[in-house]
Amino acid sequence: MTKQPHNDFAQQDDAFLHSCMYFTTNRLSRAITRMADEAFATTGLAPAYGYLIRLVVGKPGITQKELSEKLYITPSTLTRFIDKLEGKRLVERQVQGKTVLVYPTDKGKELVPSLRQASHTLKEKYEAILGKELADQLTHNHELASEQLER
């Protein structure tokens, strides 16, 4: 009679995933991204574009450099985002010397209430699942961890 090999290695091999910040953060990111995409679907924009417009409306003439820093995205990614939003006539760029300033259009400004509502809907949905206290705690802890890891 042959003995079946014991599969402890396979069980231990995937256990590391559940204690790995990289894996668990990406898993959480995919879940919250799905929820955000659903909440922002009513605006016709992806969440990142919505947040960009809100920043531009909040500070007309904001520099591209400041936007990329606030959104934690590379300048090249920001340029692509702004290109797309300019194509939709939601923002416009103005060059002053070597600085590029971004302004909202009237059409972009009109979107702000629906963008705020989408953000509110997203927050309500994850708070309903996690509870307000845990949602606030996770947000705070992720902010602190991001700041420390980016140093």
Side-chain angles (χ1 to χ4, degrees), residues 29-41 47 118 121-127 129:
S29 177
R30 286 188 298 275
I32 197 72
T33 296
R34 275 191 305 275
M35 292 173 72
D37 287 343
E38 288 172 14
F40 277 79
T121 299
L122 172 62
K123 189 172 184 178
E124 279 183 334
K125 186 167 183 177
Y126 67 71
E127 283 181 348
I129 295 167

Side-chain angles (χ1 to χ4, degrees), residues 26 39 71 83 125:
N26 276 300
L71 293 169
D83 287 345
K125 186 167 183 177

Side-chain angles (χ1 to χ4, degrees), residues 47-94:
Y49 293 106
Y51 290 121
L52 192 156
I53 289 171
R54 287 183 63 185
L55 289 171
V56 171
V57 169
K59 187 175 179 184
I62 190 170
T63 66
Q64 283 194 202
K65 182 181 187 316
E66 190 175 352
L67 279 169
S68 75
E69 289 170 356
K70 286 183 179 291
L71 293 169
Y72 299 95
I73 58 176
T74 64
S76 62
T77 299
L78 179 69
T79 297
R80 285 195 315 275
F81 283 11
I82 292 173
D83 287 345
K84 185 163 186 166
L85 293 175
E86 264 191 325
K88 293 178 177 275
R89 300 190 185 342
L90 298 172
V91 300
E92 59 187 20
R93 285 181 266 218
Q94 293 180 10

Side-chain angles (χ1 to χ4, degrees), residues 123 126-128 130-141:
K123 189 172 184 178
Y126 67 71
E127 283 181 348
L130 300 172
K132 182 172 177 12
E133 187 177 327
L134 178 57
D136 288 347
Q137 184 180 29
L138 280 169
T139 302
H140 177 74
N141 288 342

